[in-house]
Amino acid sequence: MTTPAITLSDGHSIPQLGLGVFKVDPAETERIVTDALEIGYRHIDAAAIYGNEEGVGRAIAASGIPRDELFITTKLYNTDQGTELAHAAIATSLEKLGLDHVDLYLIHWPAPSRDLYVQSWRALEAIQRAGQATSIGVSNFLVPHLTRLLAETEVVPVVNQIELHPYHQQPEVTAFGASHQIATEAWGPLGQGKYPLLEMPLIVSVAAAHEKSSAQVVLRWHIQQGHIVFPKSNSRARIAENFDLFDFELTDEEQSSITALERAGRVGGDPNDSK
Ligand code: NAD
């Protein structure tokens, strides 16, 4: 089965659903990514700081799946921001992944106290020109960070990967993105399990109505909102469950009732405090 794709502003397309590997044990990463690829996933969201790019690379190599059928993202970590460090960091990530290019390279956090994200973005522009990243984007950027990037650099990020789940939907950031053709990637799509989202009576009753699980309902809400998502799980059964989102549809009313759960309830770090 293939997942829907979203066309990015640079003309490349990204599968709307993937697997994230944050907090996946390096020793288990190859097995978990292999499970996902066997189930049908073709999009993996990785990052240098997750410490498991080698495992992702081993799974890709062992899969035999043609490179152009895969979409691999990795990210430049805060301590590698700056021109020379960014060039070194992408080279290291590519070596660990066993790839000659990634499909998407992101600045992981703005880390505003470093004041290096504009310089780092220019390095990503060069990395893209050199063919080491097909598309480039950002993560955890708020409107002021995006505004400055757009004013001072050439290439508009194709995505902004932000914390986004029913309690924390960041409407200002997503609206700003939409007005500049910056697609929204939702990290922590299930709230990272940090509040009882999947046990909420609303979610449970919508799930019962569709004979689906709560996780599938929340992920389907993301898909219908147009977000790109890559839930994380170590369990093959849940990885399969999270991929099985395309045989049902939430009604407009169900969709709105989940959107109405918004309460500015961040569960992760504040981008302004990223260092
Ligand atoms: P998530 O919302 O995907 O939640 C993961 C948790 O949900 C895990 O505890 C898992 O056991 C549970 N879960 C998964 N599937 C389930 C199911 N079907 N039923 C019940 N529970 C289920 O959180 P996440 O992993 O933080 O986010 C997804 C991905 O986003 C990450 O793996 C990573 O790739 C990316 N991410 C990016 C940033 C960033 O700063 N850019 C930060 C965090 C995560």
Side-chain angles (χ1 to χ4, degrees):
M1 202 197 77
T2 55
T3 57
I6 286 190
T7 302
L8 301 170
S9 62
D10 64 3
H12 294 285
S13 76
I14 180 169
Q16 200 183 355
L17 176 64
L19 176 80
V21 293
F22 177 45
K23 292 199 170 157
V24 173
D25 185 334
E28 282 202 273
T29 305
E30 181 178 355
R31 191 267 301 165
I32 287 166
V33 174
T34 297
D35 281 347
L37 296 175
E38 285 174 4
I39 288 162
Y41 286 77
R42 292 295 179 264
H43 169 187
I44 307 294
D45 184 80
I49 194 65
Y50 302 164
N52 52 19
E53 287 171 312
E54 286 105 330
V56 173
R58 281 195 298 274
I60 292 170
S63 74
I65 297 169
R67 176 67 185 88
D68 63 1
E69 291 177 19
L70 294 171
F71 192 102
I72 309 299
T73 299
T74 197
K75 312 186 190 88
L76 175 75
Y77 195 57
N78 310 355
T79 45
D80 286 326
Q81 284 203 21
T83 309
E84 283 176 25
L85 288 176
H87 283 284
I90 184 66
T92 302
S93 283
L94 290 175
E95 191 182 340
K96 289 183 174 171
L97 290 163
L99 301 175
D100 63 7
H101 72 282
V102 286
D103 299 279
L104 180 59
Y105 197 42
L106 306 180
I107 297 182
H108 204 145
W109 292 90
S113 59
R114 292 179 185 266
D115 197 18
L116 285 173
Y117 65 81
V118 171
Q119 190 183 321
S120 301
W121 184 251
R122 294 201 184 101
L124 262 65
E125 291 176 336
I127 285 165
Q128 183 180 38
R129 284 195 299 274
Q132 292 172 299
T134 305
S135 298
I136 54 175
V138 295
S139 177
N140 299 302
F141 274 44
L142 302 175
V143 172
H145 312 129
L146 292 169
T147 303
R148 186 167 166 214
L149 214 57
L150 295 182
E152 297 184 28
T153 66
E154 297 298 320
V155 178
V156 177
V158 294
V159 304
N160 187 18
Q161 181 180 128
I162 55 173
E163 179 185 338
L164 203 169
H165 42 80
Y167 268 13
H168 190 57
Q169 298 171 39
Q170 307 215 48
E172 315 77 30
V173 184
T174 57
F176 184 92
S179 68
H180 292 89
Q181 289 185 281
I182 301 170
T184 296
E185 295 195 329
W187 69 251
L190 300 172
Q192 295 188 318
K194 289 185 178 164
Y195 61 98
L197 174 63
L198 304 184
E199 286 82 50
M200 284 182 177
L202 167 68
I203 304 292
V204 171
S205 75
V206 173
H210 291 278
E211 298 184 359
K212 287 288 190 176
S213 71
S214 290
Q216 288 170 324
V217 164
V218 173
L219 295 170
R220 180 72 209 185
W221 170 81
H222 282 287
I223 295 287
Q224 289 182 216
Q225 292 290 92
H227 307 151
I228 299 158
V229 274
F230 23 80
K232 173 253 166 180
S233 174
N234 290 343
S235 129
R236 186 176 173 117
R238 282 182 171 173
I239 292 171
E241 177 184 324
N242 296 345
F243 196 66
D244 183 17
L245 307 178
F246 303 104
D247 62 351
F248 76 113
E249 199 169 333
L250 301 179
T251 64
D252 291 347
E253 198 186 346
E254 290 167 337
Q255 197 68 10
S256 319
S257 64
I258 298 173
T259 303
L261 293 172
E262 165 66 32
R263 57 170 68 182
R266 187 189 291 292
V267 299
D270 184 333
N272 279 321
D273 298 335
S274 58
K275 294 190 170 62

